Amino acid sequence: MAYDILIKGGTVVDGTGAPGFRADVALQDGRIAEIGTISAAARRTIDATGLVVAPGAIDVHTHYDAEVVWNGLLGASAEHGVTTVVQGNCGIGIAPCKPQDREAVVQDLVILEGVSYESLNAGIDWKFETFPEYLDCIRKRGLGINVAAFVPLSPMRRYVIGEPSVERGATPEERTKIAQAIREAVEAGALGFSATTVRRQVGYKGNPMPGQLTDADEMREYARVLRDLGKGAMQFNVIDAIAKPTKDELSIIGLLVEESGGRPVTFSGALHRTDDPSAVERMLQMVEPLRRRGARPQTTTIPFTMEINFRSPMMFADVGAFKMALSKPREEQIAMYSDPAWRAQAKANLAEGGKIVGDWKSSTVHHVKSAQLQPLLDRTIDDIARERGQDPLDVMMDLAIADNLEFVIRAYIYNSDPKYLRQMISDSRILLGQHDAGAHVDMMFMGNFPTHMLGHWVREEQAISLEHAIQRMTSDPADFFGFADRGRIAPGKAGDIMVFDPATVQSSTLAEKVLYDLPAGGKRLYSPPTGMEYVLVNGEVLFDQGKHTGALPGKIVNG
């Protein structure tokens, strides 16, 4: 009998970190059937001479919860070699959701994840209510790549508790209902659950996110669901000041690990700060006992860069004065930004430091609509302020107002120092993630991390070997989350494979394209790949020379 697909003559880098070797790879019934010198026939043969054959990348931190409802292909990630995504991170998502809560759930996404309100309303058709129904909905509509979905605790708590979910912890009865709903979701295919407990961010109507009020009793009961099931994972945001955790914050991670019986927990925060270069290393030393028990922080492989506008000033979303401006009409925002009292408060908030991320004064003017402001493009806020003899905040807000809030700055927020980033991408204490694909789509794009890693860090910078880089993006996350049949090129494993040209594979550090192809004409940024020749998912070719084949072979996976 002929194989389904035969990949001939490539260099196999199997995901384990072992040296690459020349071999053919045969696929049958969605799985890898044979590796070696293969003479058997196949229905399709791919000539991989001069190319690398590797496991598909696993993106452990995405926010595709809404987009996957209208775009199951998730091509923005798949084109770059990603074959599995983990979504539902940070406790934010769209399920479960009662009809009366849809506005609040959508507004939380708009505020926290920077997705257009118009796109969300046009794209989500709400053919689900419970989380199992949500999984069934996206499964039936078809998936290009595999999706592992956390149950986000903000919509889950709102679903069970109602409006008081933004005011208090759950009662014992409510905890039992939520725990049972999590159990049913995991049994239906969910990966586990997630939450954000830091209180610096706000959601709909300026209220806390429901997940932020998850108390220790709740966490204990929900974690025990995974312990009893013997499966699942958790993702939490617990660190208020990035890379500077307190003992109390890390005690939350410890509680989750303990009460879940050692189920894996990952958390955000291993991000380099220009204002405190040694913060990440101090943090890693603090969390080492937790790492030994199954908890790992995440970092990006790309400098965390955002294009910030002052209609939705995400870089400043944790700053008290700017919180008041979120989701306000344009006219109210302009009046607020013009008010000397507001500016005085903003300056005082910024002077406090700690929670504000990045060096905002070094941000560059990236886009203006007014022709009079065009000469300022690519100049830093600090530079313009010095030239004008003004305070940097006053300059920034004056420019935003002069451009009717069309003014956009480009800000390097985290991981902007290549000396430190090249160390972190190889550090086994850290899980590669936090690229936020599907979120802040009009401000940044980092879903291209596999092609950027292979082109920039492996080939150009030689900061990490090809084999190690692939291991970090494949078997490492697969082993962490328990995706036992993914992350390696080996007989019996799922046929999730990327085939690329090591001499040309690449994508840009900064987004190169502005597209308006989201529902209702919503805007997104994108960096196209080069050198990613084929992407296969569950034994089917999904992308062939950069073009979608029409296949939708993805599955719901949960370890």
Side-chain angles (χ1 to χ4, degrees), residues 469-531:
I470 289 173
Q471 183 265 338
R472 292 280 283 149
M473 298 187 292
T474 60
S475 67
D476 184 25
D479 292 349
F480 180 80
F481 284 108
F483 302 148
D485 61 345
R486 302 181 195 276
R488 288 174 173 81
I489 302 287
K493 300 293 185 183
D496 295 349
I497 295 173
M498 56 179 172
V499 181
F500 61 88
D501 184 343
T504 63
V505 66
Q506 182 61 284
S507 58
S508 62
T509 300
L510 300 174
E512 293 181 315
K513 288 188 174 183
V514 179
L515 304 173
Y516 294 89
D517 58 359
L518 296 178
K523 172 186 171 184
R524 69 180 174 101
L525 303 183
Y526 185 59
S527 295
T530 58

Side-chain angles (χ1 to χ4, degrees), residues 195 197 219 223 234-239 245-260 263-268 287 289-291 293-297:
T197 60
M219 293 180 204
M234 294 155 282
Q235 186 272 337
F236 266 61
N237 285 345
V238 300
I239 301 175
T246 65
K247 290 182 179 179
D248 287 344
E249 289 168 343
L250 292 181
S251 71
I252 296 172
I253 303 298
L255 181 150
L256 294 169
V257 173
E258 180 69 25
E259 298 296 335
S260 68
R263 301 308 307 169
V265 183
T266 184
F267 54 102
S268 305
V287 304
L290 292 170
R291 186 190 70 82
R293 296 166 60 197
R296 289 170 73 187

Side-chain angles (χ1 to χ4, degrees), residues 202-248:
V202 295
Y204 182 49
K205 293 184 177 179
N207 291 318
M209 297 288 292
Q212 292 170 323
L213 278 74
T214 307
D215 60 32
D217 288 334
E218 290 185 65
M219 293 180 204
R220 191 173 288 110
E221 189 157 348
Y222 309 154
R224 287 173 180 171
V225 171
L226 304 189
R227 178 199 65 189
D228 295 345
L229 290 172
K231 66 188 303 183
M234 294 155 282
Q235 186 272 337
F236 266 61
N237 285 345
V238 300
I239 301 175
D240 196 19
I242 293 298
K244 295 183 174 185
T246 65
K247 290 182 179 179
D248 287 344

Side-chain angles (χ1 to χ4, degrees), residues 93-155:
I94 61 172
C97 184
K98 295 176 181 176
Q100 64 265 32
D101 293 329
R102 290 172 183 170
E103 179 69 12
V105 166
V106 166
Q107 288 285 6
D108 281 347
L109 277 176
V110 171
I111 296 167
L112 272 297
E113 298 305 333
V115 184
S116 155
Y117 180 81
E118 293 75 17
S119 292
L120 292 171
N121 271 341
I124 305 171
D125 57 14
W126 300 107
K127 300 211 175 206
F128 54 86
E129 182 172 312
T130 69
F131 203 83
E133 288 171 351
Y134 168 78
L135 293 179
D136 193 48
C137 175
I138 63 176
R139 184 188 289 115
K140 286 179 178 177
R141 289 184 174 179
L143 297 169
I145 57 181
N146 306 305
V147 171
F150 284 120
V151 178
L153 282 185
S154 276

Side-chain angles (χ1 to χ4, degrees), residues 430-459:
I430 305 172
L431 195 64
L432 298 184
Q434 216 167 333
H435 294 105
D436 269 358
H440 316 298
V441 293
D442 64 340
M443 304 175 195
M444 67 180 197
F445 177 69
M446 292 193 291
N448 61 319
F449 77 96
T451 50
H452 181 269
M453 173 78 119
L454 296 168
H456 178 72
W457 291 116
V458 174
R459 187 180 62 248

Side-chain angles (χ1 to χ4, degrees), residues 29-81:
D29 298 328
R31 296 194 171 271
I32 298 167
E34 186 180 353
I35 303 169
T37 302
I38 303 172
S39 57
R43 294 184 179 88
R44 175 171 183 184
T45 298
I46 294 173
D47 182 4
T49 303
L51 306 179
V52 171
V53 181
I58 298 172
D59 190 343
V60 306
H61 193 118
T62 78
H63 292 277
Y64 280 127
D65 308 63
E67 183 174 340
V68 73
V69 172
W70 69 76
N71 171 29
L73 176 61
L74 301 182
S77 287
E79 282 189 302
H80 292 274

